[in-house]
């Protein structure tokens, strides 16, 4: 109900993981109410997944969007930009296209909370004996599941673009996609808490999501941007996700198309923003008059 | 111990006082009615009781747990049917209930049975695999009642459960609601602005402008307006009047050629009246006071029986349309 519950929730989780690590058994201490929280998280994710499977049009447009960017924009621009060290512009764009897929599907999944608010379903979740922290985790994982699936579908295109990835690289990319999806989904939940009606949907798409895409290094390297835009890129959480994907997919050491930051920096920012957004979202959920 | 206890509860939104220093108690296993016009503060009270809102001042307890400090315990003990539906219309009825069961950590081995039983109780089992968006208003309400019972709450809140339903669905829903305390071992707290609906309650609190202006059983409340009215048609009004005065000591008045007497327990008076007046009686009719009369007497105005949901439904449809396009 109030702030302690968030910390309580955070504490439960860390304790749970710790206890699992130490004892190797599933913690079932009565004080921790963990099964309750897990059931809630599970069912929130299951609901999203079910609706995702059911809504074919959502899946189709989610897959079509990155393809359009990749083949229309990529094909056009690769005539202008010379390949650097064997990396063509289309190949350079590929990590960004994965980022685009993740960005749209994660944000879309998270801001469905606004619809739940409008159609009342959120109340059903909010009056349940479940901590706000778990609701946020559940929602963030929902976004993670559906956007990782979509990212993997797009990833399957890599052989057709002349990109070579080993099996370990593929696994690393998938894990990375899941991490980026989680942080962007958590960011989307924070966004969703500020809006009451989905009339704001187009505002979010045009003024937040599209700029996030363009200034993420997906289309053009951050290091080539003018100073002001470079600054915006640096505070854009997606930038680090795209950059980490570049490390995995087009690992150039130097030159304009090489990654803009170190891999460790990228991973650090992704983890940090994930935690920060989840805590912030849980806190914002508590807000009431 | 009362299952719900509210002490000096006040809720202000800016300078609007939505709930103004109310106190009441609800006895376990009963149906308690919160009766009042739109904007009286009924929904706000429910939101406080179900831990969605914090009050400005005052306290509330459910099953002995403080609604502000022990919200997790309170949430486990309550089920709610909100004024506006809170179903996921893109899921089936069955999926909505299973979602609820997980959310309340119902044992996995019991989920199927409980969900099935709940659906049967409200007569929706055959339609369980339909998407909720295909349901009528009445079916949605019944489904929400069923959902509210899945986790076996101690108290079920129903906020204007019949608002916007056609008369047949209303009657239908009432059958379920009146059976709830006995069949499901649950205390029902319901709000309504339909006077006749409040009649089924064991106790009623009448609320207006955030204040409770009367509380009691429907019978007690109706007594406060002065009792029943018996209308008589006779062959000889003058002689009948004299006879009534002689036998009962009551002053009968005449209106439109009919005599009428105001009395408590009008039903018991009728046989005696007929006996006393012998062959002079042509017809008798009894008019009992309604809760509407009570409200009228207390506030000097009638509760408007407007259909707020008409507009809400249209709004919702417009939104649903926009969402699809
Ligand atoms: N969130 C809110 N912000 C401001 N005013 C509110 C809010 N919720 C309710 N009110 C006001 O409080 C009063 C009581 O509302 P409500 O409890 O919904 O009444 P009822 O359910 O009896 O129709 C109304 O005047 C309403 O406008
Ligand atoms: Mg209301």
């Amino acid at each position: 109900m109030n702030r302690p519950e968030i910390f309580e929730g955070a504490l439960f989780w860390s304790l749970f993981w710790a206890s699992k690590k130490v004892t190797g058994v599933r913690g079932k201490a009565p004080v921790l109410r963990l099964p309750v929280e897990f059931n809630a998280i599970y069912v929130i994710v299951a609901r999203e997944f079910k609706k995702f499977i059911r809504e074919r049009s959502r899946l189709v447009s989610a897959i079509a969007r990155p393809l359009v960017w990749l083949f229309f924009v990529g094909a056009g621009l690769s005539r202008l930009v010379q390949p650097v060290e064997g990396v063509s512009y289309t190949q350079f764009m590929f990590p960004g296209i994965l980022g685009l897929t993740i960005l749209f599907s994660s944000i879309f999944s998270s801001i469905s909370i606004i619809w739940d608010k409008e159609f009342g379903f959120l109340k059903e979740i909010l009056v349940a004996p479940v901590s706000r922290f778990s609701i946020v985790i559940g929602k963030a994982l929902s976004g993670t599941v559906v956007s990782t699936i979509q990212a993997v579908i797009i990833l399957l295109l890599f052989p057709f673009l002349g990109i070579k990835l080993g099996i370990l690289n593929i696994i690393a990319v998938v894990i990375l996609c899941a991490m980026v999806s989680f942080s962007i989904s958590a960011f989307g939940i924070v966004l969703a808490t500020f809006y009451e009606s989905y009339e704001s949907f187009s505002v979010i798409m045009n003024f937040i999501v599209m700029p996030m895409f363009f200034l993420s290094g997906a289309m053009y390297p951050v290091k080539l941007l003018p100073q002001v835009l470079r600054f915006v890129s640096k505070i854009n959480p997606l930038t680090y996700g795209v950059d980490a994907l570049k490390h995995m997919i087009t690992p150039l050491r130097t030159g304009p198309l090489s990654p803009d930051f170190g891999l460790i920096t990228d991973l650090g920012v992704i983890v940090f923003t994930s935690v920060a957004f989840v805590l912030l979202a849980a806190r914002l959920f508590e807000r009431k008059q | 111990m009362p299952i719900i206890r509210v002490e000096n509860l006040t809720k202000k939104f800016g300078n609007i006082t939505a709930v103004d220093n109310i106190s009441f108690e609800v006895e376990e296993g009963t149906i308690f009615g919160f009766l009042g016009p739109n904007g009286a503060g009924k929904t706000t009270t429910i939101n406080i009781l179900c831990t969605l809102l914090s009050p400005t001042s005052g306290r509330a307890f459910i099953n002995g747990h403080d609604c502000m400090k022990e919200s997790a315990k309170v949430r486990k003990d309550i089920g709610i049917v909100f004024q506006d539906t809170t179903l996921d219309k893109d899921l089936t009825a069955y999926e909505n209930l299973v979602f609820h069961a997980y959310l309340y950590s119902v044992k996995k081995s019991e989920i199927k049975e409980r969900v099935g039983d709940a659906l049967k109780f409200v007569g929706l089992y055959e339609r369980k695999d339909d998407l909720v968006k295909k349901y009528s208003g009445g079916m949605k309400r019944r489904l929400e009642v069923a959902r509210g019972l899945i986790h076996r709450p101690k108290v079920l809140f129903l906020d204007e459960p019949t608002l916007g339903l056609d008369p047949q669905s209303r009657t239908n829903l009432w059958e379920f609601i009146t059976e709830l305390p006995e069949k499901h071992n649950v205390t029902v707290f319901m709000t309504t602005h339909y006077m006749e609906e409040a009649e089924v309650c064991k106790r009623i609190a009448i609320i207006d402008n955030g204040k409770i202006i009367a509380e009691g059983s429907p019978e007690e409340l109706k007594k406060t307006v002065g009792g029943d009215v018996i209308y008589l048609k006779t062959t000889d009004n003058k002689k009948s009047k004299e006879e009534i005065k002689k036998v009962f000591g009551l002053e009968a008045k005449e209106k439109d050629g009919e005599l009428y007497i105001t009395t408590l327990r009008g039903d018991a008076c009728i046989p005696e009246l007929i006996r006393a007046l012998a062959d002079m009686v042509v017809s008798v009719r009894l008019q009992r006071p309604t809760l509407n009369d009570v409200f009228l007497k207390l506030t000097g105005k009638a509760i408007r029986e407007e259909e707020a949901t008409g507009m809400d439904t249209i709004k919702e449809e417009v939104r649903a349309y926009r969402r699809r396009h």
Side-chain angles (χ1 to χ4, degrees), chain B residues 166-179:
Chain B
D166 59 88
Q168 201 190 336
S169 311
R170 276 167 72 173
T171 321
N172 198 317
L173 187 62
W174 275 116
E175 280 169 24
F176 299 119
I177 293 176
T178 46
E179 285 177 352

Side-chain angles (χ1 to χ4, degrees), chain A residues 121-254:
Chain A
F121 191 74
L122 190 63
K123 273 194 191 165
E124 152 81 352
I125 301 176
L126 291 181
V127 292
V130 171
S131 79
R132 301 298 181 253
F133 184 77
S134 302
I135 296 173
V136 171
I137 293 281
K139 265 293 168 189
L141 287 177
S142 305
T144 307
V145 170
V146 298
S147 47
T148 305
I149 292 172
Q150 292 172 39
V152 167
I153 295 173
I154 299 300
L155 179 63
L156 294 177
L157 291 175
F158 77 86
F160 305 103
L161 300 174
I163 296 170
K164 292 194 178 60
L165 290 178
I167 186 76
L168 284 179
N169 253 352
I170 293 176
I171 293 170
V173 170
V174 173
I175 292 173
L176 198 53
C177 283
M179 287 170 68
V180 178
S181 299
F182 188 89
S183 73
I184 301 296
S185 299
F187 171 72
I189 300 169
V190 172
L191 270 186
T193 61
F194 289 102
Y195 296 94
E196 294 299 324
S197 114
Y198 67 79
E199 261 116 60
S200 41
F201 181 78
S202 62
V203 175
I204 294 175
M205 282 302 166
N206 292 323
F207 293 100
I208 298 173
V209 175
M210 287 317 283
M212 271 177 82
F213 169 59
F214 285 119
L215 296 176
S216 67
M219 302 281 292
Y220 17 76
V222 174
K223 54 173 107 45
L224 300 185
L225 289 173
Q227 186 111 47
V228 178
L229 292 183
R230 204 182 323 152
F231 173 73
V232 178
S233 289
K234 281 184 178 168
I235 58 168
N236 175 0
L238 185 65
T239 305
Y240 301 90
V242 170
D243 200 62
L245 287 167
K246 285 182 192 166
H247 277 286
M248 303 288 168
I249 297 169
T250 52
L252 295 171
R253 298 232 164 261
T254 51

Side-chain angles (χ1 to χ4, degrees), chain B residues 18-19 34-48 83 159-160 189-193 207 210:
Chain B
V19 175
F34 224 42
L35 182 62
N38 280 327
K42 304 182 296 294
T43 300
T44 305
T45 307
I46 286 201
N47 283 342
I48 294 171
Q83 186 169 333
D159 196 1
E160 311 250 8
F189 180 105
M190 54 160 274
T191 75
T192 183
H193 68 268
I207 180 168

Side-chain angles (χ1 to χ4, degrees), chain A residues 132 136 186 189-190 193 276-286:
Chain A
R132 301 298 181 253
V136 171
I189 300 169
V190 172
T193 61
F277 287 138
V278 164
L279 292 178
L280 181 61
R283 183 153 182 192
L284 290 169
F285 256 85
E286 296 295 333

